[in-house]
């Protein structure tokens, strides 16, 4: 589609970056299983020379995701962590990053256990607090890295405010938009310089592929990242790109249902006597509700909550659901349940976890697109049976 800039989000989800295969008319972008391309003469080719550098199925996906984020440039990677690492590869030893203390466990791990060894430093703050961000920024700070809604506490950072603050100090802003997806939130339009995704989650949407993506409007940043994508080489395979292209086509539809179901489940949990606390930005009493209402167009499919009783009860409860599967990850059509302290966030030290409000009994739900009543009934029976 040549005019996809003007088209609406759902139209772009289906068409952006894709056109019928010029040789056959195949409506779906082919899975080009090739590592190289035949050249007519040395250096004379159709723009494709080696598949790590440039690949047609990947190009279609990169254009598709860039369009959905409202960005000029997209780059795809073998995983969300590969995308994250490639952004940090832009930095030099001595550079500093300010990030939120309520962060995806793997991001915290690669920052503190890998890049800290290479001479970069990281400060983790409550990124809902603009003063805390401001205080953490030093002369060496190059990036502000935020996740909103955050994982697993579903905290909301005001992207516009955070960007204004960072830009005043010459700091670029990266937003991990995995939890919201561009169907609900477009950080570039709010001032962010770079958007990063684990496409493994909502973008793919079917729990059948691992992938990552970066989108930016800044040509200089894109050039650096494009260089690193090729130089470091953490690229996705063609079949993965195909699966993601299939996934993004239904992203707008799926997100509507995820939001609808999560709201019903969150309201039910809130009214439940066995539940001490519910974290869902769609609930009016959530501290980030007012900001979420402005910067998102839906509150997403992720909920976390604290079950009354001890850690053992929480562990029993999450093993007793019948529709919610006990698993890491999120964002698929099927509902998942997990225990962040021992699963996704096990790599964060307990004191750090507690500082960010991640208590031992916290349970996280990725609410799928099943019938909401079945999901509610499933949670109820698991809570009931876990009491004994
Ligand atoms: C899963 C996830 C990642 C890491 O992505 P992978 O595809 O698993 O490498 C990063 N950020 C967030 C918010 C995630 O949920």
């Amino acid at each position: 589609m040549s005019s996809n800039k003007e088209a609406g989000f759902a139209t772009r989800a289906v068409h952006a970056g894709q056109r019928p295969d010029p040789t056959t008319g195949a409506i779906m972008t082919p899975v080009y299983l090739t590592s190289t391309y035949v050249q007519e003469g040395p250096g004379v080719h159709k723009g494709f020379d080696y598949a790590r550098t440039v690949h047609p199925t990947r190009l279609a996906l990169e254009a598709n995701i860039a369009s959905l984020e409202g960005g000029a440039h997209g780059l795809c990677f073998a995983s969300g962590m590969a995308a994250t690492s490639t952004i940090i590869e832009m930095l030099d030893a001595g550079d500093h990053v300010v990030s939120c203390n309520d962060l995806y466990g793997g991001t915290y791990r690669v920052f503190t256990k890998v890049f800290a060894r290479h001479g970069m430093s990281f400060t983790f703050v409550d990124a809902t607090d603009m003063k805390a961000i401001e205080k953490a920024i030093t002369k060496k700070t190059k990036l502000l890295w935020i996740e909103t809604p955050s994982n697993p506490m579903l905290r909301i950072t005001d992207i516009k405010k955070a960007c204004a603050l960072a830009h005043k100090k010459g700091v670029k802003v990266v937003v991990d938009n995995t939890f919201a997806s561009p169907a609900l939130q477009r950080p570039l339009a709010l001032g962010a310089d770079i958007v990063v995704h684990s496409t493994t989650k909502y973008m793919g949407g079917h729990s059948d592929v691992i992938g990552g993506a970066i989108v930016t409007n800044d040509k200089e940043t894109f050039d650096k990242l494009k260089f690193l994508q090729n130089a470091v080489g953490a690229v996705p395979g063609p079949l993965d790109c195909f699966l993601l292209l299939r996934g993004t086509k239904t992203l707008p539809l799926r997100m509507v249902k995820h939001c609808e179901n999560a709201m019903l489940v969150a309201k039910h949990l809130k009214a439940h006597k066995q539940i001490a606390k519910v974290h869902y930005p769609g609930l009016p009493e959530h501290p980030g509700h007012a900001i979420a209402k402005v910067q998102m167009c839906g509150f997403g499919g992720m909920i976390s909550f604290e079950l009354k009783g001890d850690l053992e009860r929480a562990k029993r409860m999450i093993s007793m659901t019948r529709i919610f599967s006990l698993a890491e990850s999120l964002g698929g059509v099927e509902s998942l349940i997990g225990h962040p302290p021992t699963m996704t966030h096990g790599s964060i030290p307990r004191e750090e976890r507690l500082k960010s409000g991640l208590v031992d009994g916290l349970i996280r739900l990725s609410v799928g697109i099943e019938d909401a009543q079945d999901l509610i009934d499933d949670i109820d029976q698991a809570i009931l049976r876990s009491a004994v």
Side-chain angles (χ1 to χ4, degrees), residues 3 11 54 75 131 148 201 208-209 264 306 340 342:
S3 63
T11 306
V54 58
L75 290 165
K131 286 214 179 74
T148 181
K201 316 294 168 53
D208 53 8
V209 61
L264 291 168
E306 293 165 31
T342 55

Side-chain angles (χ1 to χ4, degrees), residues 36 60 104 142 173 192 246 257 280 309 333 354 364-365:
T36 190
Y104 177 70
K142 291 282 155 54
V173 181
R246 164 179 279 212
K257 187 70 175 167
Y280 184 64
V333 289
L354 291 177
R364 191 185 80 176
L365 301 177

Side-chain angles (χ1 to χ4, degrees), residues 49-370:
D49 50 0
Y50 187 61
R52 170 167 29 78
T53 315
V54 58
H55 185 279
T57 316
R58 192 177 89 211
L59 271 183
L61 178 64
E62 289 174 337
N64 182 258
I65 294 178
S67 170
L68 294 183
E69 283 290 358
H73 313 284
L75 290 165
C76 287
F77 294 85
S79 67
M81 289 320 302
T84 290
S85 300
T86 303
I87 294 170
I88 303 298
E89 295 277 6
M90 289 197 297
L91 304 184
D92 297 313
D95 286 347
H96 175 243
V97 178
V98 174
S99 186
C100 46
N101 58 11
D102 183 15
L103 187 68
Y104 177 70
T107 305
Y108 179 84
R109 180 174 56 200
V110 83
F111 284 178
T112 57
K113 298 267 166 66
V114 180
F115 289 106
R117 279 198 291 111
H118 298 186
M120 292 150 207
S121 59
F122 300 86
T123 303
F124 301 93
V125 300
D126 174 358
T128 63
D129 178 358
M130 293 299 133
K131 286 214 179 74
I133 294 177
E134 189 162 21
K135 249 175 73 185
I137 292 176
T138 70
K139 286 198 173 65
K140 294 186 167 167
T141 309
K142 291 282 155 54
L143 289 180
L144 169 64
W145 188 289
I146 51 187
E147 246 185 70
T148 181
S150 70
N151 179 13
M153 301 303 293
L154 287 317
R155 292 216 174 89
I156 303 292
T157 292
D158 188 324
I159 298 176
K160 235 183 206 170
K161 272 196 187 150
C163 290
L165 179 83
H167 290 162
K168 221 167 50 195
K169 306 212 171 201
V171 173
K172 291 212 153 109
V173 181
V174 181
V175 176
D176 183 332
N177 203 27
T178 300
F179 266 40
S181 94
L184 305 183
Q185 174 174 277
R186 270 150 258 163
L188 295 179
L190 298 167
D193 301 281
I194 299 172
V195 171
V196 63
H197 272 283
S198 168
T199 53
T200 311
K201 316 294 168 53
Y202 287 106
M203 300 290 261
H206 296 74
S207 308
D208 53 8
V209 61
I210 296 280
I214 300 173
V215 182
T216 182
N217 271 320
D218 179 34
K219 179 71 164 70
E220 198 186 320
T221 302
F222 169 70
D223 289 341
K224 279 187 199 166
L225 289 166
K226 173 71 196 163
F227 169 83
L228 286 166
Q229 182 195 41
N230 182 55
V232 177
V235 292
L239 184 62
D240 293 353
C241 294
F242 175 87
L243 288 170
L244 283 161
L245 278 170
R246 164 179 279 212
T248 57
K249 286 183 172 61
T250 57
L251 176 71
L253 276 178
R254 285 185 283 109
M255 290 317 292
V256 168
K257 187 70 175 167
H258 281 299
C259 292
E260 208 177 282
N261 279 358
M263 185 59 105
L264 291 168
V265 170
K267 281 185 178 159
H268 180 78
L269 291 173
K270 206 191 102 186
H272 202 294
K273 287 194 176 60
Q274 293 294 309
I275 286 167
K277 214 168 199 176
V278 183
H279 307 281
Y280 184 64
L283 296 175
E285 66 272 27
H286 184 285
H289 178 69
I291 301 165
K293 239 168 106 175
V294 174
Q295 75 182 15
M296 303 177 76
C297 45
F299 302 106
M302 299 301 297
I303 301 172
S304 60
F305 66 93
E306 293 165 31
L307 187 62
K308 285 184 184 165
D310 58 6
L311 175 62
E312 290 312 308
R313 185 189 182 190
K315 285 194 191 163
R316 274 201 306 279
M317 188 257 158
I318 62 172
S319 312
M320 284 174 163
T321 50
R322 291 162 179 155
I323 297 174
F324 281 89
S325 299
L326 175 56
E328 308 245 356
S329 201
L330 60 113
V333 289
E334 64 290 306
S335 291
L336 301 180
I337 190 165
H339 182 238
T342 55
M343 296 168 70
T344 46
H345 291 64
S347 52
I348 301 176
R350 187 167 180 272
E351 319 86 78
E352 285 296 317
R353 285 202 310 259
L354 291 177
K355 263 195 252 167
S356 63
L358 211 172
V359 298
D360 290 338
L362 194 82
I363 293 170
R364 191 185 80 176
L365 301 177
S366 172
V367 179
I369 63 167
E370 300 96 334

